[in-house]
Amino acid sequence: MKLRTHLLVLTLAVLLPVSIFGVATTLWVAERERDAFERGARERTLALLTAVDTELNGHVTSLQALGTSYDLQNGDLGAFHRQSKRLLPMHTHWRLITLSLPSGEHVLTISRGPQDTPRPVDRASIDRTLKTGAPTIGGVAVIDGERFFPISVPVEVNGEVFVLAVLVDARSILDLLTPQRLQRDWVAVVLDRDGRIVAGTFAEASAPGEELTRALDRALEQSGEGWVHYTTDPGGTEIYSPYSRSTRSGWTVGMAIPAADVDAITEHTIVLLAVGLLFAVLIAATLAAGFSRRIADPMMQLAAAAKALGRGTPPSAPTGAAVREVRDVSRALMASARAVGEREERLRGADRAKDEFLAMLGHELRNPLGALTSATQILNARFPGSRAPSDAVSIISRQVEHMTRIVDDLLDVGRATSGKVRLKLAPLDLGHLVTEVARDLQRTSIFAKLAVSIDADPVWIQGDQARIEQIASNLLENAAKYTAPGGTIRIAVQEKDGEALLEVADTGIGIPEELLPRIFDLFVQGQRSIDRSVGGLGIGLTLVKRLAELHNGSITAESGGRDQGARFVIRFPAIPAPESEAQASGTGPVEIRELRKVLLIEDNEDARHALSTVLRHYGFRTFAAADGLEGIAVADEVQPDAAIIDIGLPQYDGFEVARRLRAHTGGERMLLVALTGYSSREARRQAMDAGFDEYLVKPVSPVDLADLIESRFQPAALTG
């Protein structure tokens, strides 16, 4: 379909829910009008009920006041009779007054005139009054064609309980209904506790009164207040009846309202809303048809521009759009085109960096693997009287150290960028530390043909010695990597303006201007020829920057361009020199004061054999097991001082082994060391929960492992 057709369909689609909403709103308003009418009718019914209760309470109060008569309380019934005779005419609707014994026998009857025939108050009212000790409003009775109802109250005379009652004309209730001026065809009725009609605004025995009474009887079985809907039998007229029952008297007031009167209230609202809705729909349809013509052409231009963007060609901006929103869409489309181009360029750069990283990783791993392969062949050959086996061992040691460095850098850069590196801070002489790192590196082949100058002043910082050494060695190796033989590397350490400055400058190939802003990004590295003997993964400078920041420091890079060399400057907060500048080197094997028993549980046979050999070299008695079950059995037999446990074991994993060893006798004193390739925080947490004392990630220096084990059993530790 064409755009105009779509716009027309869209307009109709919008108008449809609007129309539905309008109809729903109309019905909702009508329903609210009906609810308001219902609330008003129920409130009117409740007001009538309140008036009825007030009238009944007035009769009760007057009767109770009569019961406190001095003459009655003194048992002078003659005087009380004369007093009641005088009082009776004052109450227009009182027919007669009686005083009865608990048996129901009348002791005294006072009537309005001689024509009134004395009638006893119903026995049920007397019994209820005596039982509850409270006033009772009895049921309606018809006397001489008129309705009356009794009201009884208990009185005590000389310690004996009597019932004082009055017979009230029901016209007192009708007098309350008449002033209400109900609309034509509306009916009001008052029912007693038993559902008999007390008074009503209808002719005697009329159909509306009887039908209303029956409807109210059914409704009162469910609730004491509400709104009932029914249909009259003869004419089929629908009636709504609000009603309310008194909680004090038990009487009910109800009304019968023709449904036509209720519906007429909402019809006017519905008509007005329907006319307004129709008018609004016509206006909306007319405006939509007009605007569709103004939108169609610019929208088609936008569609053409979007297709061009999808093909990868620069789109043309739509012109002549009269609608501001269309112009906004046009500008947004052009901005999106520019953003897509920039994002594609960044993705291509990231893809190139990934390819270079993978290629360099393969190169970095193949070199030591090739050297290790050759060294293994040398060891397998027989060279009588030759130094070949010794040289092979040196090759293996160097290449394993190189591969370990690669893996450590990969792990460290991940931990550093995610904030998982924990520093062990202590006062350090930056000048001395950097000098030692530079001298160690000068002994390696990568610095063999380079001139290295060191100008390091004693400058103290608060730092982690291992991480500061890592920063210095990465900077120096990076400088050597990009400096041709015969070049110069200059190292300087000094204090300036309260900062410790470490500067490494070289005369190498420099940093291209376009690369300088991204030189500290992950996997970014300079251009190198294919014959360079020392490679890299593009992570060293990223790691240096992050470690410097963790020490509250910063790093900057400068270069004049290609073949102009590079200069890196790291700034650390300087601190005053401590009183004692003695630094413990922490290197070399520890002196073993006592022959300790160490259990090694490792499923890799080569790793188990090699580590056992190294630990024996450092003076430990070693015991080995290939799985968790065997390890627990060996521990029960030899009772080792320490156990080095791999996590990924058959039978029982390392966590379960640790828990079982801790549960054994003497297990609480055993040093448990987890030695694993898992470096995640969750694995470390599980190890600590299982009972391990230390958590080490492979590979681990045998010297460090020996120091760790022996430090647990030093005298200071035993007495601490």
Side-chain angles (χ1 to χ4, degrees), residues 405 409 430 434 437 441 446-447 467-483 489-492 501-506 520 540-545 548 554-557 566-572:
R405 180 66 178 274
D409 280 353
L430 182 62
V434 171
V437 171
L441 290 176
I446 189 173
F447 285 86
R467 297 304 181 182
I468 299 298
E469 290 177 351
Q470 193 173 11
I471 290 173
S473 62
N474 275 344
L475 278 180
L476 294 176
E477 288 179 358
N478 183 75
K481 187 186 308 178
Y482 294 102
T483 303
I489 297 176
R490 184 175 62 83
I491 306 166
L501 273 61
L502 167 59
E503 178 183 346
V504 177
D506 62 67
F520 296 109
L541 291 180
T542 303
L543 183 59
V544 167
K545 179 177 184 294
S554 62
I555 182 172
T556 57
R567 175 174 174 266
F568 293 87
V569 178
I570 299 183
R571 291 174 170 82
F572 296 107

Side-chain angles (χ1 to χ4, degrees), residues 11 70 105 155 158 165 264 280 296 346 384 395 429 435 446 486 553 604 668 717:
T11 302
Y70 175 81
E105 179 183 353
V155 294
N158 296 327
R346 289 196 298 270
I395 292 172
D429 184 349
T435 300
I446 189 173
N604 186 287
E668 68 278 0

